[in-house]
Amino acid sequence: MRILFLGDIVGKPGYSAVLKHAEELRKKEQLDALVVNAENASDGSGLMPRQYNRLLEAGVDAITLGDHIYRCREIIPVLETSKRMVKPANYPGDATGRTWTIVDTPAGPLGIISLLGRVYMRPVDCPFDAVDAALEEIGDATKHILVDVHAEATSDKQLLGRYLDGKVTAVLGTHTHVPTADAHVMEHGTAFQCDVGMSGPYDSIIGRDVRRVMKTTRSFEPCHFHVATGDIRLCGAIVESKANGHAKSIRRFEMSVSE
Ligand SMILES: [Fe+2]
Ligand SMILES: [Fe+2]
């Protein structure tokens, strides 16, 4: 199974680029599955139902989110029923959304799990316990499982990667919006990368206009952080898995998109 996972879609530049290139990427990279993290799609924070629908229409199979999951409240009713989107599995039980899902692909079913890290982030339940529970529920339904680890600290992500090595197909990081140069298949067959990078404007501070962030950071005067517009790239990782669900390879994916 060939899976492309694209990191955090940031604002209109990232969102439009995914819509524009999804179909062509599916063909060119011979993808069985396209999974995206869309937590920053709506003006840099959250995901609107209209965007959710258009991403699926464009050829996205499944969507993960993160700490901005409920930023657009309109998405909550969609999260109640959608089988194409998951909430972080270590969010409280009362938080809306599925803790895992399985989508059909030409190469068989693919399981999707999202986890939030705990270092420099809002307190959440234990991601290790949460992923164990999700994997037990998934059981034998599929051997191909992608885990999005949405976390601030590389150590947090590495620990979850090591913990899940051999149990899932890939553990791929999101949230910091900057790709890391550590894509590899671990000892027991799980593909790993600390952060696959965002899909959005790279001439920015993690997707936002540099001047605005600089001014607020230096002056302490709050202002709206506009989504930046320059150097738009789609970033992610392409994972190829074997019939037993272990990863055969992982390759960093990066594509410059003309504005
Ligand atoms: Fe993000
Ligand atoms: Fe995030």
Side-chain angles (χ1 to χ4, degrees):
M1 183 184 293
R2 279 177 67 83
I3 310 158
L4 169 59
F5 176 59
L6 291 175
D8 310 44
I9 297 172
V10 179
K12 199 159 182 268
Y15 168 68
S16 303
V18 175
L19 292 185
K20 192 171 167 197
H21 296 283
E23 200 182 310
E24 143 204 344
L25 281 173
R26 289 197 74 107
K27 282 188 199 139
K28 192 175 154 217
E29 298 290 350
Q30 297 174 300
L31 302 177
D32 297 301
L34 174 58
V35 182
V36 301
N37 181 306
E39 72 146 6
N40 306 106
S42 177
D43 195 30
S45 237
L47 175 69
M48 289 294 282
R50 171 182 50 84
Q51 296 182 304
Y52 164 84
N53 289 327
R54 290 196 64 194
L55 285 170
L56 295 192
E57 283 162 21
V60 169
D61 295 292
I63 296 172
T64 58
L65 296 149
D67 50 317
H68 295 305
I69 179 170
Y70 306 126
R71 199 58 76 99
C72 300
R73 292 189 56 83
E74 294 87 341
I75 203 69
I76 292 174
V78 185
L79 277 160
E80 272 167 17
T81 55
S82 173
K83 291 187 174 169
R84 304 287 204 102
M85 222 167 19
V86 289
K87 70 171 183 179
N90 52 334
Y91 259 17
D94 281 353
T96 303
R98 307 168 68 90
T99 51
W100 56 272
T101 197
I102 293 177
V103 292
D104 287 323
T105 86
L110 171 65
I112 309 285
I113 300 172
S114 157
L115 298 171
L116 279 195
R118 294 189 293 182
V119 176
Y120 302 131
M121 296 185 82
R122 192 173 164 192
V124 283
D125 295 342
C126 174
F128 298 88
D129 293 346
V131 75
D132 280 345
L135 289 176
E136 195 169 329
E137 284 174 29
I138 291 174
D140 293 329
T142 179
K143 289 183 161 52
H144 305 269
I145 299 169
L146 186 158
V147 179
D148 172 349
V149 177
H150 197 78
E152 199 74 57
T154 44
S155 54
D156 230 9
K157 302 185 196 191
Q158 287 178 330
L159 284 163
L160 278 161
R162 293 292 176 135
Y163 184 71
L164 292 169
D165 187 14
K167 298 178 192 164
V168 301
T169 306
V171 175
L172 301 175
T174 55
H175 178 69
T176 64
H177 292 200
V178 178
T180 56
D182 61 338
H184 67 292
V185 177
M186 294 183 289
E187 188 185 350
H188 302 292
T190 296
F192 179 80
Q193 188 178 351
C194 262
D195 205 295
V196 299
M198 67 171 168
S199 296
Y202 274 74
D203 182 9
S204 69
I205 303 296
I206 62 169
R208 309 294 184 138
D209 181 84
V210 177
R211 278 163 306 177
R212 292 225 154 202
V213 181
M214 187 74 77
K215 183 167 190 302
T216 290
T217 302
R218 298 200 60 196
S219 69
F220 279 28
E221 285 171 31
C223 72
H224 181 71
F225 292 165
H226 295 306
V227 169
T229 53
D231 189 11
I232 297 151
R233 298 182 219 170
L234 296 179
C235 275
I238 293 181
V239 175
E240 190 167 6
S241 63
K242 302 184 268 194
N244 67 1
H246 286 179
K248 195 152 92 181
S249 66
I250 176 170
R251 165 165 71 83
R252 257 197 71 204
F253 175 82
E254 184 169 337
M255 178 180 159
S256 260
V257 176
S258 54
E259 291 160 54

